[in-house]
């Protein structure tokens, strides 16, 4: 071996970064269908699509999500651009929507939905990625608990539309500035007494973020959390009334839930209503398929006027894993309906597939002047139900053989008649004449 760097150093093919994944056909057909289902429901609930940049001024997240939150301290992809601006790839979708609200001041209530990648430097494992994707919804400008019910119902209806049945909704309230500070004092003194019993991570971090201890999954913290004071039992009057109205609204909507005073979310902006949907068919620890809540103080934290808000986000990958675990929402076949076989040079195929596509028909052909045998084989494999076949005799007569690939029957038809039929009916399937 020589000391010279090898000539092919760096010629190794780069792969997608750790914790990321490609979404490609045919699996991507499920993504299309999932996003379409969410878009349809969101529209029905009166939301419009909002699309904000994939990166923001880092302060949007530092102030929005909280400087002490794990998402900001450990997981955010923060960087300086070439002009020295401090930017961050979005770790979540809510703070950018509220930033956009503060910037544009649309009339309230402002109701939006989104579909977006989110970036978090997490320990990659099943259902946990460094780039994941969310569909989500946010409603700004009203404190009305009926809106909490609408937002939760939207998430519920979305999972139902995909066919998911093993979904458990937990509901909690994180109080407001009236009741939370006194509670946090009480929780702090309780945790100070039990500091030695906490898991290593929370023994070090509990004083910065005491509520995280409550939903730590480790046995040590669990024992302490089980006896800890809970905010849900110490809510002020208005927060109690708010939660009660949300609960009766969910009952009326037929949305099943359980109260869980230990439910604490990983982002610091929440006030009052918080909730999480678990896919109970998922075996991994990452079973949260969606979550959200109120963030009545977030607009102010981002320099805007006091504006309450509520929303949720749902991880597309997790939702699809839950669908797999339940055996629902299979990938839709996107096979062509018609395969055009042309052994006369390809010009007929070129023109016919174009005409068929413009008539609304999924049409395919082969390329590179392949033999009749090869093209027919491709037609069979494509999943098409009809083959339109053009050989020298058909070219001469401006006609085509129309073969029903399922029944094995065939007829010959003038091409112009065939295309007129395609335009008139939108299909060349048998029985459509
Ligand atoms: P979140 O709970 O952090 O909330 O994320 C929402 C959902 O995104 C989770 O329930 C999960 O399905 C998915 N998710 C989160 N992290 C990952 C990951 N590393 N890999 C795969 N999936 C993941 C939020 O992001 C809030 N913005 C939700 C919200 C909207 N609250 C109010 N409005």
């Amino acid at each position: 071996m020589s000391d010279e760097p090898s000539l092919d150093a760096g010629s190794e093919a780069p792969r997608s970064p750790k914790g990321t994944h490609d979404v490609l056909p045919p699996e991507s057909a499920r993504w299309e269908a999932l996003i379409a289902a969410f878009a349809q429901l969101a529209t029905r609930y009166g939301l419009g699509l909002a699309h904000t940049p994939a990166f923001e001024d880092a302060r949007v997240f530092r102030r929005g999500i909280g400087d002490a939150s794990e998402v900001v301290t450990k997981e955010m992809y923060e960087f300086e651009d070439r002009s020295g601006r401090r930017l961050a790839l979005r770790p979540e979708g809510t703070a950018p929507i509220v930033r956009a609200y503060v910037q544009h001041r649309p009339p309230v209530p402002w109701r939006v939905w989104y579909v977006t990648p989110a970036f978090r430097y997490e320990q990659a494992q099943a259902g946990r990625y460094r780039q994941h994707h969310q569909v989500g919804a946010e409603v700004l400008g009203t404190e009305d608990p009926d809106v909490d019910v609408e937002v939760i119902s939207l998430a519920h209806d979305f999972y139902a539309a995909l066919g998911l049945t093993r979904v458990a909704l937990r509901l909690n309230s994180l109080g407001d500035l009236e009741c939370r500070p006194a509670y946090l004092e009480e929780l702090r003194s309780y945790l100070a007494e039990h500091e030695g019993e906490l898991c290593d991570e929370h023994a070090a971090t509990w004083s910065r973020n005491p509520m995280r201890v409550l939903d730590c999954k480790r046995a040590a913290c669990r024992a302490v959390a089980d006896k800890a004071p809970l905010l849900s039992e110490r809510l002020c009057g208005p927060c109690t009334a708010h939660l009660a109205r949300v609960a009766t609204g969910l009952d009326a909507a037929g949305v099943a839930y359980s109260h869980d005073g230990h439910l604490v979310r990983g982002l610091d902006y929440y006030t009052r209503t918080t909730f999480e949907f678990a896919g109970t068919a998922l075996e991994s620890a990452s079973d949260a398929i969606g979550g959200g809540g109120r963030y009545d103080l977030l607009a102010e934290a981002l320099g805007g006027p006091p504006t309450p808000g509520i929303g949720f986000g749902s991880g597309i990958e997790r939702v699809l894993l839950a669908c797999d675990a339940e055996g629902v929402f299979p990938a839709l076949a996107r096979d062509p309906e018609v395969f055009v076989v042309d052994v006369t040079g390809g010009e007929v195929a070129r023109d016919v597939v174009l005409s068929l596509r413009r008539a609304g028909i999924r049409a395919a052909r082969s390329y590179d002047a392949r033999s009749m045998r090869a093209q027919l084989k491709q037609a069979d494999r494509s999943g098409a139900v009809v083959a339109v076949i053009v050989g020298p005799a058909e070219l001469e007569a401006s006609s085509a053989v129309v073969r029903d690939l399922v029944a094995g029957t065939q007829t010959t038809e003038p091409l112009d008649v065939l295309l007129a039929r395609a335009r008139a009916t939108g299909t060349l399937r048998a029985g459509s004449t």
Side-chain angles (χ1 to χ4, degrees):
M1 278 231 316
S2 89
D3 289 332
E4 292 291 309
S6 110
L7 273 183
D8 64 358
S11 68
E12 195 184 311
R15 299 176 60 84
S16 56
K18 184 172 177 184
T20 69
H21 58 100
D22 300 312
V23 182
L24 307 172
E27 169 68 8
S28 55
R30 293 175 94 198
W31 284 61
E32 276 182 66
L34 179 147
I35 294 164
F38 191 79
Q40 192 186 29
L41 268 172
T43 307
R44 208 184 289 168
Y45 273 80
L47 313 183
L49 175 67
H51 206 61
T52 59
F55 58 88
E56 294 272 354
D57 183 324
R59 289 174 301 179
V60 168
F61 304 111
R62 292 193 157 274
R63 288 190 199 160
I65 300 172
D67 260 330
S69 67
E70 254 182 38
V71 171
V72 167
T73 54
K74 292 197 194 154
E75 297 172 359
M76 201 152 74
Y77 285 88
E78 199 174 335
F79 59 97
E80 243 170 47
D81 75 2
R82 289 167 195 269
S83 315
R85 294 184 189 89
R86 201 86 206 134
L87 301 172
L89 295 184
R90 61 165 58 189
E92 60 99 48
T94 308
I97 291 290
V98 177
R99 190 274 307 144
Y101 166 78
V102 169
Q103 186 172 335
H104 303 286
R105 304 285 177 91
V108 293
W110 194 48
R111 306 160 71 88
V112 295
W113 71 276
Y114 49 87
V115 50
T116 178
F119 308 88
R120 298 181 189 178
Y121 190 81
E122 298 209 63
Q123 283 315 314
Q125 50 179 267
R128 195 173 286 281
Y129 306 97
R130 291 186 175 168
Q131 177 177 338
H132 71 278
H133 300 79
Q134 290 187 15
V135 287
E138 313 289 347
V139 180
L140 277 94
T142 167
E143 273 191 326
D144 194 322
D146 288 358
V147 172
D148 305 28
V149 176
E150 285 189 20
V151 164
I152 297 172
S153 298
L154 168 58
H156 167 273
D157 291 1
F158 170 54
Y159 302 134
L162 303 183
L164 289 170
T165 53
R166 296 180 59 191
V167 174
L169 167 62
R170 293 185 296 149
L171 179 68
N172 195 17
S173 173
L174 292 181
D176 63 8
L177 290 181
E178 202 46 48
C179 49
R180 192 158 56 191
Y183 165 74
L184 283 177
E185 276 312 301
E186 189 183 350
L187 180 63
R188 278 210 169 84
S189 354
Y190 171 81
L191 292 176
E193 280 168 34
H194 295 84
E195 190 175 31
E197 300 156 46
L198 297 174
C199 76
D200 290 348
E201 183 191 337
H202 288 119
T205 60
W206 72 268
S207 65
R208 235 184 306 138
N209 207 340
M211 290 182 75
R212 292 302 295 173
V213 174
L214 297 179
D215 83 342
C216 175
K217 305 279 182 296
R218 297 184 195 101
C221 280
R222 272 202 140 146
V224 177
D226 278 347
K227 300 205 182 78
L230 290 182
L231 178 50
S232 51
E233 290 152 12
R234 286 156 180 79
L235 294 173
C236 58
C239 285
T240 306
H242 190 98
L243 182 60
R245 173 83 182 192
V246 174
T248 50
L250 290 175
D251 291 339
V255 176
Y257 60 90
S258 57
H259 284 286
D260 185 348
H262 289 265
L263 174 67
V264 177
R265 311 247 318 121
L267 310 157
D268 288 354
Y269 49 60
Y270 292 111
T271 49
R272 291 195 169 166
T273 311
T274 45
F275 56 92
E276 213 157 87
F277 287 89
T280 56
L282 288 173
E283 271 155 24
S284 85
S286 312
D287 66 351
I289 57 172
R294 276 208 161 269
Y295 42 84
D296 293 344
L297 307 173
L298 181 52
E300 270 177 284
L302 293 180
T307 312
I310 177 158
F312 78 94
S314 192
I316 295 179
E317 293 85 354
R318 296 251 184 108
V319 169
L320 289 175
L321 286 171
C323 289
D324 291 341
E326 287 201 40
V328 297
F329 201 62
L332 290 177
R334 288 292 168 86
D335 298 340
E337 177 188 321
V338 179
F339 197 98
V340 180
V341 172
D342 173 4
V343 288
T344 69
E347 285 178 4
V348 180
R350 180 193 66 197
D351 299 342
V352 171
V353 289
L354 183 66
S355 301
L356 291 176
R357 287 171 184 161
R358 287 182 172 163
I361 297 173
R362 291 197 301 275
R365 56 167 289 198
S366 70
Y367 302 95
D368 305 317
R370 306 184 73 194
S371 71
M372 172 73 93
R373 211 176 115 84
Q375 291 194 40
L376 284 174
K377 211 172 192 180
Q378 217 181 329
D380 269 333
R381 285 206 190 123
S382 73
V385 290
V386 175
V388 170
I389 305 165
V390 180
E394 288 76 23
L395 180 67
E396 184 65 35
S398 297
S399 66
V401 171
V402 182
R403 183 180 295 173
D404 181 327
L405 291 172
V406 182
T409 52
Q410 64 180 46
T411 54
T412 300
E413 213 173 319
L415 261 182
D416 55 353
V417 173
L418 178 95
L419 292 177
R421 177 154 67 90
R423 278 192 292 273
T425 63
T427 180
L428 286 184
R429 280 171 203 275
S432 62
T433 36

